[in-house]
Amino acid sequence: MLQLVLAVGFTLVSGYMMAEEMHDSTAASAIKPYAHVETEAARALVPFSIHGQSYIAVPQKSVMMPGKKVENLDGGDSSRATTDIYQIKGQTLSPVQSLPTQGAHWASFFSWHSQDFLSVATLRQGAYPDYEMSADSHIFRWQGQQFEAVQTVPLTAAKFTSFAEIDGQLFVFFATGDVMDSKQPISTNGRSMVMKYNADTKQFDEVQRLPTHSGFGIQTFAIEGATYLGVVDAATGTTIYRWDKKQFKPYQVLTQNMNDRELSFIQIDGKHYVALTNIKNGTQIFAWQGNKLVPVQMLQSGGSHRPTFYQNDQGTWLFVSHYMTGTQQKPVVSTASSVYRWQNGQFAWVTDYPSSASPSTMVWSDASGAVYAGVANEASTSFDLKTNSTIYQLDLAKLLPAKN
């Protein structure tokens, strides 16, 4: 359900917690609460458009269990969680559909050859503490008014999914592997999935499985006519693969750090950059130099999760969601995320904005050019999963890096 936000603070609205108040005057005038969506353990507000109509998909990881308090961010009932689809009509979000995607951790949309696909990565099924990490992820196709199931993909702890067109073919990717949980050892035989669309069967066929112990991110990018695939593993680090027209082959070990989370790619003034988050260390910026990615900047911040780039005539922006600090068993919920602006050859911090255990901020513009940021809030500081996610309207012209 959509409700307009008139003020932001940790108040209870219709049984849902709301995010922190924005105190900074510059941020408050440039990042204005536009609306909030009642969500439970939301992982993303994924924007997409079909036939000129705007929508968001909201994958949700868990729901609260009656009479059972969540003691950390791993609680709740994942089997009853859904991915909710809303149509955006001006300042109103109209519910379209709730997809039965238990334990959804991420969703991705892609339009290809007059077909509109949505993939959903499923982390788990069951209820705390007896989760089952073997669970079906899903691929859907838009059929006029709603999404229809195309295919289920049996995987283990899928945390991320993305699409890409390569050599005229449509690919879908799933990052998989067991959760980072001291109560169960990390699997050593995990495999993240590469699949390609088969026009004859109208389904996706397996092309390749890539080794991941705890896969968290999987995303393609192109440089100088070649296609690369970044695979982020929270247990072993991040590896870049290169497409050889048949398969992805290892190309560069980007890091060997534990706790890497996700990566994003951007081109600025003809040069190529990658942002990679690490929930303990912050966000590292890499630049393509010669024939490889090299580190050029470190944005220090705790709890860094999804990095999202956005470009317009006013510049290049980087939004970094902050999830939590502490440990998985004793987490401290982060209550603010950060936005940076490209200036003088590097990213400069601009301001923070309210969020609550946020896995992602997605940024988009509408037909009029208005810019929005969808901030997914997974839980409150007391681990209440029934926490509103927020859509902000952005006035980027008012956001300039703070002076030292």
Side-chain angles (χ1 to χ4, degrees), residues 96-98 154 183 205 239 284 329:
V96 173
Q97 185 177 13
S98 286
K183 293 184 295 183
D205 298 333
T239 301
Q284 192 158 21
Q329 296 306 312

Side-chain angles (χ1 to χ4, degrees), residues 238-241 249-254 288 291-294:
T238 299
T239 301
I240 305 299
Y241 292 81
K249 297 292 182 65
Y251 183 80
Q252 180 185 356
V253 175
L254 199 60
W288 185 263
N291 60 356
K292 64 179 181 179
L293 290 165
V294 299

Side-chain angles (χ1 to χ4, degrees), residues 351-373:
T351 191
D352 291 337
Y353 54 93
S355 62
S356 190
S358 181
S360 66
T361 296
M362 305 296 286
V363 184
W364 68 91
S365 58
D366 64 16
S368 70
V371 182
Y372 303 91

